Amino acid sequence: MPLETMVIAGSGPAGLTAAVYAARAGIDPLVLEGDVPGGQLTVSEAVENYPGCAEALPGTELMTRFRKQARRFGVRFRPGLIRSVAKAGGHYDLQAGDEVVGARTLIIATGAQARRLGVPGEAEYYGRGVSGCAVCDGSFFEGGTVVVVGGGNTAMHDARYLARVAKRVIVVHRREHFRADACEVESARGNCRIEWLVPYVVEQVLGEGAVSGVMVRDLETGVARRLGCDGVFVAIGHDPRTEAFRSLVETHSGGYIRVAANSTCTSAPGVFACGDVCDAVYRQAAVAAGQGCMAAMDALHYLQKGGWDAGDESSAHRE
């Protein structure tokens, strides 16, 4: 089994930025692309808030540019999703499909998956009016009507953010009480552009080429009706893709990987994390790319010091 100097798990903005920095530093990194090459950004119909994009680009096009840049520096790509990781002497054995890959350093950039409603029409119109990121896609609905589904802090933040650009914001929540902090709910309720449908659920997303409305049901009366809208923002949480790594590195209660302050170092020596897999707050491509740069630099510093052979395994987390 060949031993790789650096393996990067994930091929979104964080992973590919890490790959570019590592390759330019003389490392020959291997990127395991995961089951969604390019990451969650590929489901965005248009990206206009990434630095350097003079005009809106489809998410697939932006990630194609990331990939071309990485290939120009010799980055190697391989299909595969890491299923498990085991310590093996001074390196890690990564189970990726039917193959085992050895790695002296591992950068985890597997991202987070926005939770879905699982209703008819949602998958069909994801990226064409259905979104999991108000900050990313809110500007496309200027002057329109949007629905925000959820009752937590994220839903309240999204509703207030969207109220800056949309003419009408309708919050749909299945319960009369909210998981969000009381101050967050009060702030949203004080906004004249935000309306409330509680206790209601969205049962279907409607459209012809793009979202045109939703079917909602009143949970008290059982009555269903069509609600016209231009966009649907699903704000019911995210799930970090950390299942394969939870026995290897420390995680927060929500499953996000814990990293040391001002660093991408995890609790395991030679293992680093960047992007949405450790970021429960911002979840932006620009932030992920910046953290990818940090992870590559942290990993290079670790290798320069001699890796595990330099001494205490916990030193990676302390520094």
Side-chain angles (χ1 to χ4, degrees):
M1 177 188 67
L3 180 62
E4 301 286 348
T5 301
M6 181 183 297
V7 171
I8 300 170
S11 54
L16 294 193
T17 301
V20 167
Y21 271 78
R24 291 185 72 248
I27 301 297
D28 182 25
L30 171 66
V31 173
L32 295 178
E33 296 180 286
D35 56 354
V36 184
Q40 291 301 305
L41 202 62
T42 58
V43 303
S44 294
E45 185 176 14
V47 179
E48 62 178 8
N49 60 354
Y50 192 83
C53 291
E55 57 188 28
L57 289 175
T60 51
E61 172 60 24
L62 181 58
M63 293 318 302
T64 295
R65 295 186 183 190
F66 267 79
R67 188 184 184 91
K68 286 181 178 178
Q69 182 184 25
R71 283 198 179 280
R72 182 162 68 88
F73 292 111
V75 173
R76 294 171 294 134
F77 291 85
R78 188 179 302 175
L81 183 69
I82 294 178
R83 304 295 182 186
S84 63
V85 182
K87 290 184 178 180
H91 69 277
Y92 295 96
D93 285 342
L94 316 176
Q95 184 72 48
D98 297 329
E99 182 180 17
V100 176
V101 179
R104 290 186 64 198
T105 57
L106 170 64
I107 294 178
I108 304 171
T110 45
Q113 173 72 52
R115 293 174 188 161
R116 305 281 180 100
L117 297 173
V119 300
E122 180 186 29
E124 179 182 355
Y125 292 107
Y126 214 94
R128 292 187 290 163
V130 178
S131 172
C133 180
V135 174
C136 307
D137 300 325
S139 63
F140 298 115
F141 301 92
E142 184 174 1
T145 296
V146 297
V147 168
V148 175
V149 185
N153 286 334
T154 298
M156 300 303 108
H157 294 166
D158 286 0
R160 294 204 312 273
Y161 180 87
L162 291 164
R164 300 174 187 172
V165 293
K167 176 178 65 177
R168 185 183 181 204
V169 178
I170 305 167
V171 175
V172 178
H173 183 46
R174 63 171 53 247
R175 301 179 183 88
E176 292 188 357
H177 65 277
F178 294 86
R179 299 187 313 278
D181 297 336
C183 61
E184 298 289 351
V185 177
E186 182 179 355
S187 178
R189 285 197 180 277
N191 192 307
C192 63
R193 290 191 179 185
I194 300 176
E195 304 172 24
W196 305 82
L197 282 181
V198 292
Y200 273 74
V201 292
V202 172
E203 293 192 326
Q204 184 177 358
V205 177
L206 308 171
E208 293 183 7
V211 168
S212 62
V214 291
M215 290 296 298
V216 295
R217 182 178 297 278
D218 185 329
L219 292 180
E220 290 183 341
T221 66
V223 175
R225 63 185 175 95
R226 183 187 187 279
L227 179 65
C229 66
D230 305 295
V232 179
F233 289 84
V234 181
I236 56 176
H238 290 72
D239 294 313
R241 309 196 71 176
T242 56
E243 297 86 355
F245 312 107
R246 292 183 186 178
S247 62
L248 175 70
V249 297
E250 293 178 7
T251 60
H252 295 281
S253 57
Y256 291 88
I257 294 175
R258 187 187 300 273
V259 294
N262 303 315
S263 150
T264 62
C265 300
T266 72
S267 58
V271 180
F272 308 86
C274 54
D276 290 5
V277 78
C278 58
D279 175 14
V281 178
Y282 300 103
R283 292 191 294 267
Q284 298 296 304
V287 175
Q291 291 183 348
C293 165
M294 292 171 59
M297 295 176 71
D298 287 344
L300 289 166
H301 179 65
Y302 173 82
L303 289 167
Q304 288 166 359
K305 290 175 59 179
W308 288 11
D309 294 336
D312 184 0
E313 292 186 5
S314 66
S315 61
H317 194 54
R318 288 201 309 264
E319 295 184 357

